[in-house]
Amino acid sequence: MWFPRLASDRVLRTRPVDAPFALTITEQNTQRLYCLNAQAEAQGLHRAMSFADAHAFCPDLLSAPARPDQDARFLAALPRWAPHHCPWVGPEGADGLVLAITAASHLWGGGAELLGDRGARAAAAGLSRRLGLGDTGGAAWALAHYHEGIAPPGQGLCALQSLPVAALRLEGAQATGLQRLGLRTIGDLAQSPRGPLARRFGPELMLRLDQALGRTPEAITPEREPPHYATRLTLPEPIGLSADVMAGTGRLLKRLCDTLKADEAGARVLCLTLQRVDRASQQVELRLASAMRDPARILALFERGISTVDAGFGIDQMRLEASVVEPLPAQQIGPKTQPAPDRLNDLITRIGTRIGLENIQRFLPADSHIPERSFLIAPAAYSQPKSGWPKSCWHAPRPRPLRLFPPEPIAGTTPRPAARFRWRRMGFTLARTTGPERIAPEWWLEDDSWRSGVRDYWHVETREGRRLWMFYTPQTPGWFVQGEFA
Amino acid sequence: MFTPLNTVFPLRPARVHEVCGAGAFGFAAVVCARVQTDVLWIREAWLSERLNPTGLSAFFDPSHLLIAQTKEQTDSLAVAETALKDGAVSLVVLELTRPLNLREGRRLQLAAKAGAATGLCLIPEGMGSNAAETRWNATPIHESHPPPRGEDSTLMRWEIIKNKSGTLGVWDVRWDHTAHRLDVVSPVGERPGSSHAPG
């Protein structure tokens, strides 16, 4: 099953136009046509033509940028719709599907009927398609691409012999080489001696021929169904007590965690949907600080969310889904391995259900001389602590304050700190100063607070006791307080 | 009579303590430094003053620090209560912006007792709660003669202004960055201006 215009059909499905339409892709600084619809092809345009030329041929051409990644996703979604006809479906290249219908065609009254139904469905979905049916994958591919039709069982060679050699899934150079030798059709090729051809073109050619004629088997690789981590529970009588809901959740969790354990995965986000008898549903989302698959621990964390649920006239359906799953391989417990900080992660999860998991943070070191950028603040649930903080090579060469705040301006324009100054409505007298330490802005990063240029930092001790971190900006004279030592 | 600092200073575990004054952050940093496990620091997200981990690394390894940013003080208190009760962290530092009422202070105290974790509230001046085990006032003081070793740390006057199970006292202390310990600079009685100090 071949979709000759998959990319443009995908775009036109959502936004049909009745005009020449093409998708463009930028290759080597040139915009080229990637895929076009039938009307555009009727105007004489073809693939890989430059977009400027195409516009000259056809001034009313509509275009849109191509998205090969979305095309691939669309093609990956197509097999999900194919099991209607047969269960064994695999992708074929970038724009085809291959279906093994051997054991399924009799359910539809024969291969031809199945093919007709299939084509009608694709047409209803707005996809242009070409179908081929043969004993082998190679024969079906050749028919789909070059001569739409059906090869009767056991007569593959008869159906294929008039097709050009390119129908054997050959590379361009091989097909051209064969045509130069005068071997234009598959029939010519099948009658030629195999030895010289294999010596000249390599074993690939003979392999393709044998695959098309059924002398060499070729397997279809169907996509594996993505694992699905969800369980549900339907109750004969509605329940309303939180203890009952917890017990039900416990049962669901047990089953879900067994599935997770079999796949060596752990849940990161769990979503519990409770459906009430009046068809209203409520959701309880639990975001975990680390991947987990221990039912008892997860159940304890659900407690707060379940206590807020309004049961109404009762709950008769429960569904538990692990919406985000991470790999969690089994770990060898030994004297050398660090035990996972389970208790701390449970605490983070429990706090996170109240204030949001991203609001629990930890500091990570960063490589910068700018005091505000010498550390990163990362959510604790999604980062690992980095130890050895003070020993790192980037450790500040001079003492840094314990507290930092946005720079607060104070009076003064002289390059040295004033003997008396006021800050936060308090008067201070200078006792000792250390400095200056010049820090230049990182010009490669845009930062509004460093627009005032380089800063000369002074470590100022006052007679009142407080020790402040002040800076002077020589390029636009002014004094600011930015931190306090402890 | 002179009260030694070590009768009160490693703060009594499983209780909630309070500290106010300009040196409150320094006090909290020293308390954190004495705890080897993880520390949870709860602050409201709108506060502009924040900890500098580079400065904090003189006291302890900032990778042990978890910060919870809350929207308002009610959330802060709920987070603190959960963390204290759980006991997974042995120290919870809480920045308060409004005074606690009797119920809130008592609940924190009970949670600390249940989880055997220590709580420390950084309070604005004069906003103490009745339930606190001890209340400290920490102020940085100026010294006319800097220490000979040229250490960079503030001389602080720690005054215990409320103590449920002990006497009050005042000490001048300094954190020793290289040795990672707290030095009491000189007995209070020998310093000028402290003749009326208790003891």
Side-chain angles (χ1 to χ4, degrees):
Chain A
M1 193 164 185
W2 180 42
F3 303 102
R5 288 191 274 272
L6 182 79
S8 63
D9 282 343
R10 179 184 66 77
V11 176
L12 292 175
R13 252 161 68 85
T14 53
R15 197 190 48 194
V17 294
D18 188 23
F21 178 84
L23 292 177
T24 60
I25 196 165
T26 305
E27 277 176 351
Q28 296 176 347
N29 290 335
T30 317
Q31 279 206 318
R32 297 196 176 276
L33 298 193
Y34 178 69
C35 188
L36 1 90
N37 70 353
Q39 287 182 10
E41 269 174 12
Q43 299 264 353
L45 309 185
H46 57 86
R47 287 191 183 197
M49 187 179 196
S50 93
F51 183 57
D53 287 351
H55 237 283
F57 273 108
C58 177
D60 55 348
L61 178 70
L62 299 176
S63 70
R67 296 288 304 274
D69 53 332
Q70 288 195 2
D71 294 339
R73 267 169 48 201
F74 183 64
L75 185 69
L78 279 178
R80 285 217 306 264
W81 148 79
H84 181 69
H85 290 109
C86 75
W88 206 247
V89 186
E92 170 65 49
D95 50 2
L97 288 182
V98 51
L99 294 84
I101 60 164
T102 310
S105 58
H106 69 277
L107 299 173
W108 296 88
E113 284 74 14
L114 193 152
L115 216 59
D117 186 55
R118 185 105 198 129
R121 278 170 188 274
L127 296 173
S128 56
R129 75 286 164 208
R130 292 180 56 170
L131 303 165
L133 175 61
D135 288 346
T136 61
W141 192 94
L143 288 168
H145 281 73
Y146 287 91
H147 185 263
E148 207 176 353
I150 299 174
Q155 298 169 31
L157 188 56
C158 305
L160 296 182
Q161 63 183 350
S162 60
L163 300 187
V165 283
L168 286 177
R169 292 178 283 178
L170 298 180
E171 289 163 25
Q174 276 188 338
T176 318
L178 284 169
Q179 284 189 354
R180 289 214 179 108
L181 290 181
L183 299 173
R184 291 177 198 286
T185 63
I186 294 177
D188 296 344
L189 191 65
Q191 284 159 15
S192 320
R194 295 172 64 92
L197 280 174
R199 272 200 295 283
R200 175 153 182 182
F201 293 100
E204 176 86 351
L205 173 65
M206 286 300 136
L207 177 72
R208 288 301 189 193
L209 182 65
D210 289 346
Q211 280 178 347
L213 300 179
R215 294 175 199 150
T216 307
E218 184 183 15
I220 297 175
T221 320
E223 289 284 309
R224 231 189 114 189
E225 285 273 315
H228 183 61
Y229 299 109
T231 50
R232 55 184 283 173
L233 182 68
T234 312
L235 304 162
E237 287 284 323
I239 56 170
L241 298 176
S242 350
D244 295 346
V245 179
M246 286 293 281
T249 313
R251 282 198 202 176
L252 289 175
L253 265 175
K254 174 109 188 26
R255 268 153 58 192
L256 184 69
C257 291
D258 286 346
T259 322
L260 288 170
K261 194 170 182 185
D263 287 359
E264 294 212 331
R268 196 67 198 260
V269 178
L270 288 160
C271 186
L272 176 69
T273 312
L274 302 169
Q275 192 155 47
R276 307 197 313 211
V277 282
D278 55 0
R279 298 287 115 198
S281 68
Q282 297 195 348
Q283 290 202 329
V284 179
E285 197 189 50
L286 180 68
R287 299 175 64 198
L288 299 169
S290 64
M292 272 165 68
R293 57 161 180 253
D294 182 357
R297 272 175 64 204
I298 300 177
L299 186 63
L301 298 172
F302 257 118
E303 204 150 358
R304 181 185 148 80
I306 287 180
S307 67
T308 62
V309 167
D310 173 20
F313 293 108
I315 291 161
D316 64 353
Q317 242 183 53
M318 302 170 70
R319 182 169 189 273
L320 181 68
E321 184 186 12
S323 37
V324 178
V325 171
E326 282 180 3
L328 181 65
Q331 271 188 339
Q332 176 77 44
I333 299 174
K336 284 206 172 167
T337 50
Q338 284 280 337
D342 287 344
R343 251 184 106 187
L344 190 64
N345 281 334
D346 285 3
L347 176 66
I348 292 175
T349 306
R350 208 167 301 143
I351 297 175
T353 53
R354 174 150 192 137
I355 61 170
L357 207 52
E358 62 286 340
N359 283 329
I360 303 161
Q361 300 161 341
R362 64 160 55 101
F363 290 122
L364 296 177
D367 190 6
S368 172
H369 292 293
I370 307 281
E372 305 94 296
R373 287 212 214 101
S374 61
F375 57 91
L376 294 173
I377 296 178
Y382 302 101
S383 59
Q384 287 299 315
K386 271 189 193 161
S387 52
W389 190 290
K391 282 141 200 127
S392 326
C393 55
W394 52 268
H395 176 51
R398 285 158 179 279
R400 290 282 180 252
L402 180 64
R403 278 199 286 174
L404 276 183
F405 24 84
E408 296 172 8
I410 57 170
T413 49
T414 51
R416 293 190 68 83
R420 289 170 182 283
F421 61 92
R422 291 186 69 77
W423 171 63
R424 291 187 177 176
R425 298 189 182 176
M426 291 177 282
F428 289 98
T429 315
L430 214 64
R432 264 191 300 275
T433 58
T434 319
E437 176 191 359
R438 177 161 289 191
I439 297 182
E442 291 177 335
W443 51 264
W444 54 93
L445 290 173
E446 195 76 15
D447 191 349
D448 282 342
S449 58
W450 282 80
R451 283 278 161 79
S452 50
V454 298
R455 296 177 177 180
D456 287 343
Y457 277 92
W458 292 80
H459 179 175
V460 173
E461 293 180 34
T462 61
R463 290 211 177 275
E464 285 71 22
R466 300 181 85 154
R467 307 193 311 150
L468 302 173
W469 207 40
M470 299 166 44
F471 68 84
Y472 171 68
T473 48
Q475 287 166 338
T476 47
W479 278 92
F480 300 86
V481 182
Q482 207 195 355
E484 184 171 359
F485 291 88
Chain B
M1 197 188 92
F2 166 68
T3 323
L5 178 62
N6 57 18
T7 56
V8 279
F9 179 59
L11 297 174
R12 277 188 76 193
R15 294 286 188 282
V16 177
H17 306 263
E18 289 181 346
V19 58
C20 62
F25 270 72
F27 183 91
V30 174
V31 174
C32 291
R34 306 193 63 107
V35 177
Q36 293 304 313
T37 56
D38 291 292
V39 175
L40 180 68
W41 190 296
I42 304 165
R43 62 190 292 277
E44 288 171 49
W46 56 271
L47 292 170
S48 63
E49 294 196 4
R50 49 176 59 243
L51 278 177
N52 181 14
T54 326
L56 203 60
S57 64
F59 292 89
F60 75 111
D61 187 357
S63 61
H64 289 313
L65 188 70
L66 285 174
I67 297 157
Q69 311 250 23
T70 59
K71 272 204 217 57
E72 48 175 8
Q73 184 157 324
T74 322
D75 281 346
S76 295
L77 290 171
V79 170
E81 193 186 14
T82 317
L84 285 170
K85 210 180 261 177
D86 188 88
V89 290
S90 48
L91 177 67
V92 176
V93 184
L94 177 62
E95 286 181 45
L96 293 179
T97 49
R98 65 165 174 81
L100 298 183
N101 58 30
L102 284 173
R103 183 173 51 84
E104 291 163 340
R106 182 74 188 137
R107 275 184 70 163
L108 283 185
Q109 204 63 258
L110 288 174
K113 229 178 248 183
T118 313
L120 179 66
C121 301
L122 308 187
I123 55 168
E125 207 98 21
M127 283 198 191
S129 119
N130 257 344
E133 179 74 18
T134 58
R135 187 174 311 129
W136 298 73
N137 188 2
T139 41
I141 53 174
H142 173 66
E143 56 190 325
S144 40
H145 306 291
R149 281 176 291 164
E151 275 179 38
D152 179 78
S153 73
T154 313
L155 184 66
M156 286 186 286
R157 173 158 295 166
W158 287 4
E159 193 176 356
I160 181 163
I161 53 179
K162 177 194 168 172
N163 192 350
K164 274 197 168 175
S165 51
T167 52
L168 305 184
V170 57
W171 301 269
D172 286 357
V173 295
R174 170 196 299 285
W175 177 256
D176 188 335
H177 286 319
T178 44
H180 274 261
R181 65 158 191 248
L182 195 69
D183 295 341
V184 178
V185 172
S186 64
V188 183
E190 293 171 27
R191 295 187 70 88
S194 57
S195 51
H196 56 275

